Amino acid sequence: MQTPTPPSPAGTTAFVLGGAGNMGAVQLGMLRALLERGVVPDLVVGCSVGALNGAAVASQPDLATLARLEALWLDVSRHDVWPAGAATSLVQLLRRRPAINANDGLRRVIDRFLPGATFADLRLPFACVATSLASGSERWFTDGPLAEAILASAALPALLPPVEIGGELFIDGATVNVVPLAKALEMGATRLFVLQLKDLDAVPRRPRRPLDVLLRAFAISRNCRFVHELAALPAGVEVHVLPTAAWPRFRYDGFSRTQELMERSRTAAAAYLDEHGVGTAPASTGQPPSSGSTGAGEG
């Protein structure tokens, strides 16, 4: 077990990473802007894809770790995560199996970055959330194997199977707690950097299909808790909700524009941090490093 990093002079800083599937690449740009300015967390909490990114940062919160994480994302294709696809036709939903896809591909992605890791191996305190399929309550994981906890936190209903831990089935933590602010406060945070992935101020397009209304209703329900917790933060807590860059149009189950997402979000986050005088702006930021792969295996 590594020696925990002591809290920063500015107080106890938490990175709070929300969930949004393949849009988790946006968080990498935010993380780069933060780390380049010397903003380092004392603890990390995550949900869904934010659990994967959060665990990586908690393993060692520096630019070298981030470069490895960027390389991992750039090398992932949709076939790694959604081998059977992400389209939910009625026939697929009625088949006798818990999900359209197995989670073997996602497990391999996790193991590529954190092979055999446990919570005790991380340099920083880290927690991720999943949802009990039986009770509907949130369950926080803070010890034991990382892969199982991340798989549970990211088990998108119908697309990825529930994960059994301790005899109980769990699904995506975003079902009940997409941006876990309260947990960060419970762990002692006094300064929050929120890496959430949805533009809450964006005006949705007028729905044209029943599915459009269904997805919008799910988004409203999912974000409701975050909005209320953000408005009810106790006095004395410093909070920075990093801006979400405009998303390019691409397949919602794809990874072909990961580099673009990282660059857009890095630019937006850097501008916000500089405007608010957070951290020390680097003399020259350059561009996020590439692994040499375009990640274009979306096909």
Side-chain angles (χ1 to χ4, degrees), residues 23-88:
M23 301 309 297
V26 170
Q27 291 175 340
L28 275 63
M30 296 173 173
L31 289 168
R32 178 159 286 277
L34 287 163
L35 295 176
E36 284 178 337
R37 283 157 180 75
V39 181
V40 179
D42 302 305
L43 61 93
V44 182
V45 295
C47 172
S48 197
V49 71
L52 172 58
N53 290 337
V57 172
S59 70
Q60 181 64 46
D62 58 25
L63 289 169
T65 297
L66 182 60
R68 289 178 52 227
L69 186 60
E70 289 168 341
L72 176 68
W73 270 86
L74 288 166
D75 195 46
V76 170
S77 78
R78 74 181 180 92
H79 302 292
D80 292 316
V81 181
W82 320 109
T88 53

Side-chain angles (χ1 to χ4, degrees), residues 222-290:
R222 190 182 72 156
N223 290 325
C224 182
R225 178 172 177 175
F226 168 50
V227 172
H228 282 285
E229 285 190 356
L230 189 62
L233 287 175
V237 173
E238 179 184 348
V239 60
H240 297 278
V241 180
L242 298 186
T244 299
W247 293 0
R249 293 186 63 81
F250 75 122
R251 287 180 62 113
Y252 65 91
D253 62 343
F255 295 86
S256 66
R257 302 184 76 170
T258 292
Q259 183 78 56
E260 182 180 356
L261 289 171
M262 290 192 299
E263 292 173 359
R264 286 189 183 200
S265 61
R266 179 196 186 192
T267 298
Y272 170 92
L273 295 171
D274 293 345
E275 179 184 351
H276 290 80
V278 177
T280 303
S284 176
T285 57
Q287 294 296 326
S290 170

Side-chain angles (χ1 to χ4, degrees), residues 6 27 31 35 38 56-57 90 110 137 142 151 153 155 158-159 204 209 226 235 255 267-268:
Q27 291 175 340
L31 289 168
L35 295 176
V57 172
L90 182 60
I110 297 169
S137 59
T142 57
L151 284 172
S153 186
L159 296 182
R209 302 169 299 170
F226 168 50
F255 295 86
T267 298

